[in-house]
Amino acid sequence: MSNVGNGFDLTDRQKDVLNAALELLVEGGDSLTMAGVARRASCSKETLYKWFSDRDGLLTATVQWQASKVRVVPVAKEGLDEESLFTSLEHFARDWLLVLSGSTSIALNRLAVSHAGSGKSDLGEIVLNNGPIAMARRLKPVLETGRDAGLLDFDDIDEAFASFFGLVVRDMQIRLLLGDHHEVSDAEIIRDARTATRQFFALYGNKAGS
């Protein structure tokens, strides 16, 4: 297990190390080693073991660091209006698409898929728990606050999040994992995030409260 936090309370030096690990994952995938990360980050293996315990701990912290780039704009029930809630969800969607479409996430997810069920490592489970499951854990409070403020209408929070996930990600991730070389532009990401958020409000916006 990693002795480092969940990606939100890292030192600058630890971030440098995790960025080095991400670079090596993109370049070599399975060839990632503690010694290789130590060399790339110009630190000692002893420091890596102190911070991350072992290779799986390092991988977990690396995935958490990558996932932390998807930020949640906090909202409060008091005074919350549709525009503020829309902005929060749109911002989250935009960050999510930016991270997913980057070469780092593509390489990390490809490696995780290849490891899932293979017994090579726990990387598949690490990515699942610190990717989609972590995204749900962070966004659900925003959705619930929107419902409590009378702006959203849903019975099942899991179903509402799954709908948002599907509208935002669509088939983009699977296409990129399978080698689609289309480079997603910032303009496309902004457009797609806004479209997905509008579609989500069309499905779950509280018509009675508007």
Side-chain angles (χ1 to χ4, degrees):
M1 289 295 294
S2 170
N3 296 319
V4 173
N6 62 1
F8 300 97
D9 53 0
L10 300 167
T11 67
D12 288 342
R13 189 70 183 103
Q14 289 167 341
K15 291 175 183 178
D16 289 341
V17 168
L18 295 179
N19 283 330
L22 286 170
E23 290 173 2
L24 289 171
L25 279 170
V26 172
E27 294 170 12
D30 275 335
S31 63
L32 180 77
T33 63
M34 299 292 268
V37 174
R39 282 194 300 273
R40 177 64 64 93
S42 300
C43 70
S44 68
K45 286 197 296 182
E46 290 73 21
T47 297
L48 292 184
Y49 282 108
K50 177 182 177 182
W51 284 344
F52 307 109
S53 299
D54 54 23
R55 185 174 182 269
D56 273 1
L58 174 62
L59 286 170
T60 298
T62 301
V63 174
Q64 289 174 339
W65 170 231
Q66 181 72 354
S68 73
K69 297 170 186 176
V70 183
R71 296 158 295 172
V72 177
V73 177
V75 297
K77 179 181 175 182
E78 293 75 19
L80 182 64
D81 58 19
E82 184 173 312
E83 181 179 358
S84 299
L85 180 60
F86 187 99
T87 298
S88 177
L89 295 179
E90 182 185 17
H91 186 101
F92 188 90
R94 186 169 67 247
D95 275 4
W96 201 349
L97 290 173
L98 280 168
V99 169
L100 284 178
S101 62
S103 59
T104 299
S105 284
I106 294 169
L108 191 58
N109 285 318
R110 281 179 179 159
L111 187 60
V113 170
S114 73
H115 279 213
S118 70
K120 288 183 180 179
S121 75
D122 296 326
L123 183 59
E125 184 177 356
I126 289 169
V127 169
L128 179 63
N129 287 332
N130 294 283
I133 291 175
M135 293 299 104
R137 189 164 55 246
R138 291 162 57 196
L139 189 65
K140 283 179 180 179
V142 175
L143 300 179
E144 289 173 329
T145 300
R147 179 179 60 184
D148 293 345
L151 300 171
L152 298 176
D153 183 16
F154 56 82
D155 296 322
D156 188 325
I157 183 62
D158 293 324
E159 180 182 295
F161 174 79
S163 296
F164 187 74
F165 178 95
L167 291 168
V168 172
V169 178
R170 297 171 294 118
D171 67 341
M172 183 193 75
Q173 188 174 33
I174 188 65
R175 286 192 293 101
L176 292 174
L177 289 175
L178 292 174
D180 188 338
H181 296 297
H182 172 67
E183 187 172 339
V184 184
S185 69
D186 289 348
E188 287 178 283
I189 286 174
I190 291 170
R191 179 200 66 201
D192 290 347
R194 183 161 299 169
T195 297
T197 308
R198 284 175 178 160
Q199 291 170 338
F200 182 77
F201 269 85
L203 287 171
Y204 292 101
N206 189 352
K207 310 300 189 296
S210 59

